[in-house]
Amino acid sequence: MRIVVVILALCGVAAVAAERNVLAGREEARKVLKGRGCGSCHDTAVSAENAAALAVYDLQEDDWPKRMSDQRLPKLMGRLRSAPAADRKLVKRFIEAELAARADPRQ
């Protein structure tokens, strides 16, 4: 019985750590996207003029990727073709973590 409790506790710790990684990656990706000018269309604090872009995502929202489908999320990379490699790598890691979290029903 004690082993089961330990295993459940470790699973809980792992889930919390995974969620923190997703949230941290989300913030880092938000900074990259803002820095690359995506906020001009995807940030209500900058402009509310482009309703179609804001319907996809709004960088002002805490869970800004929430409305993006699993198929649309990787398309962020296409917008970052001219971004520095470090920025592309960071956003790619975010996309992978976001998709993994969506696939894991425990998160």
Side-chain angles (χ1 to χ4, degrees):
M1 179 70 169
R2 182 177 264 180
I3 291 175
V4 172
V5 172
V6 170
I7 291 172
L8 290 174
L10 290 174
C11 288
V13 169
V16 169
E19 184 176 345
R20 282 189 191 147
N21 286 340
V22 169
L23 295 176
R26 188 178 291 166
E27 277 308 305
E28 291 172 346
R30 180 194 325 253
K31 288 177 187 173
V32 168
L33 295 172
K34 283 186 172 191
R36 299 302 302 167
C38 296
S40 63
C41 294
H42 293 281
D43 189 334
T44 51
V46 176
S47 174
E49 298 289 317
N50 195 335
L54 291 169
V56 175
Y57 68 92
D58 180 355
L59 292 169
Q60 281 301 303
E61 296 175 353
D62 288 336
D63 190 3
W64 61 268
K66 180 180 181 177
R67 287 180 269 142
M68 296 178 77
S69 68
D70 291 356
Q71 294 75 30
R72 183 171 280 227
L73 198 57
K75 292 180 181 179
L76 286 172
M77 294 305 296
R79 302 291 183 157
L80 298 174
R81 276 179 243 144
S82 64
D87 287 351
R88 289 193 315 271
K89 183 177 180 181
L90 192 147
V91 173
K92 185 175 182 182
R93 261 196 332 254
F94 152 72
I95 291 167
E96 291 168 351
E98 186 76 23
L99 291 173
R102 291 176 180 191
D104 187 350
R106 295 176 291 164
Q107 294 186 26

